[in-house]
Amino acid sequence: DAKTTQPNSMESNEEEPVHLPCNHSTISGTDYIHWYRQLPSQGPEYVIHGLTSNVNNRMASLAIAEDRKSSTLILHRATLRDAAVYYCILELSNFGNEKLTFGTGTRLTIIP
Amino acid sequence: EPEVTQTPSHQVTQMGQEVILRCVPISNHLYFYWYRQILGQKVEFLVSFYNNEISEKSEIFDDQFSVERPDGSNFTLKIRSTKLEDSAMYFCASSVLAGENEQFFGPGTRLTVL
């Protein structure tokens, strides 16, 4: 499986934008870039995913580098509820199974 | 909003006992998964299930583990003879199609083996 590298932790002030980086230099052409997050004492939760183009949804934006070797999850206005561990995961697009391989992620702390 | 549910929320058992963890996936989903997370560690994939059979399993998922979809709604994980090291949070997840789609996770069952 292609690996991802994320900072162990980050802090951000409430109501400010947060940029969470992820490096995936060995990404293959068919790997999708997925972001999940895990709030304290909860199961993981899907945030966003993309292949090549930048993506936006109600939760966040995903900016993907042109060479796809890195990506950035953008929370436009962090709230206390966004404090969580954020995981950047590469996933093959093959049909049939969809195992998620979680790393250690980035623990995001929001400062009130 | 549809959600994955899991029961019980917390299960305490004695080493060597059998446990069954239950999950109700989202109703139109086709793929089902179990993951576990030992306290303070990463979320680890255990097994995926599609069309009434295992589609992939990890090295953790040995002969002590089994999964079943006994009816149209439940998806269970059985551990035949629990060990101390099986203590963890067990998360069930489901998804519609492989490839692009997201997985929806349940709240987890905390298994404590004494």
Side-chain angles (χ1 to χ4, degrees):
Chain A
D1 293 337
K3 283 194 165 183
T4 63
T5 305
Q6 299 178 252
N8 289 332
S9 62
M10 290 182 66
E11 285 186 350
S12 179
N13 294 319
E14 193 178 9
E15 298 186 6
E16 301 221 337
V18 182
H19 291 234
L20 296 162
C22 180
N23 286 318
H24 28 80
S25 58
T26 59
I27 190 170
S28 75
T30 56
D31 282 335
Y32 285 79
I33 302 159
H34 287 244
W35 283 81
Y36 280 76
R37 71 180 184 181
Q38 188 173 21
L39 302 171
S41 302
Q42 295 191 28
E45 172 187 39
Y46 169 83
V47 178
I48 201 166
H49 76 277
L51 184 61
T52 55
S53 304
N54 295 344
V55 185
N56 299 297
N57 67 18
R58 63 176 178 81
M59 287 180 72
S61 296
L62 176 59
I64 301 172
E66 201 169 322
D67 63 5
R68 297 203 337 121
K69 292 184 186 298
S70 66
S71 60
T72 302
L73 178 70
I74 302 165
L75 307 178
H76 294 286
R77 196 163 164 270
T79 68
L80 294 177
R81 198 197 171 272
D82 292 320
V85 180
Y86 286 78
Y87 302 99
C88 169
I89 300 170
L90 301 183
E91 188 172 332
L92 292 172
S93 64
N94 58 309
F95 183 84
N97 55 39
E98 193 175 331
K99 174 180 72 176
L100 291 175
T101 302
F102 289 83
T104 53
T106 297
R107 182 174 298 278
L108 177 64
T109 301
I110 304 298
I111 302 165
Chain B
E1 188 174 321
E3 58 182 16
V4 176
T5 59
Q6 292 185 242
T7 54
S9 56
H10 191 188
Q11 173 98 42
V12 181
T13 190
Q14 295 291 325
M15 189 170 55
Q17 295 296 304
E18 175 184 285
V19 294
I20 297 177
L21 309 183
R22 300 180 194 281
C23 169
V24 178
I26 295 173
S27 64
N28 61 336
H29 284 185
L30 304 175
Y31 288 81
F32 314 108
Y33 316 83
W34 284 101
Y35 294 81
R36 79 172 186 189
Q37 186 174 31
I38 295 170
L39 186 64
Q41 297 189 24
K42 296 188 287 188
V43 177
E44 301 174 288
F45 168 78
L46 292 178
V47 66
S48 58
F49 190 86
Y50 169 71
N51 200 25
N52 282 320
E53 59 183 31
I54 291 173
S55 49
E56 186 173 357
K57 60 183 180 179
S58 70
E59 291 178 356
I60 304 167
F61 194 88
D62 61 21
D63 292 345
Q64 292 300 311
F65 291 88
S66 63
V67 289
E68 193 177 32
R69 188 155 161 80
D71 53 42
S73 59
N74 290 287
F75 180 50
T76 62
L77 174 69
K78 182 193 293 187
I79 309 174
R80 288 190 185 79
S81 177
T82 50
K83 307 183 187 75
L84 296 176
E85 54 264 37
D86 293 328
S87 295
M89 281 292 286
Y90 287 81
F91 295 108
C92 172
S94 68
S95 67
V96 179
L97 295 171
E100 300 187 53
N101 291 281
E102 63 185 277
Q103 291 184 23
F104 292 81
F105 284 77
T109 293
R110 177 169 298 285
L111 177 64
T112 302
V113 182
L114 302 176

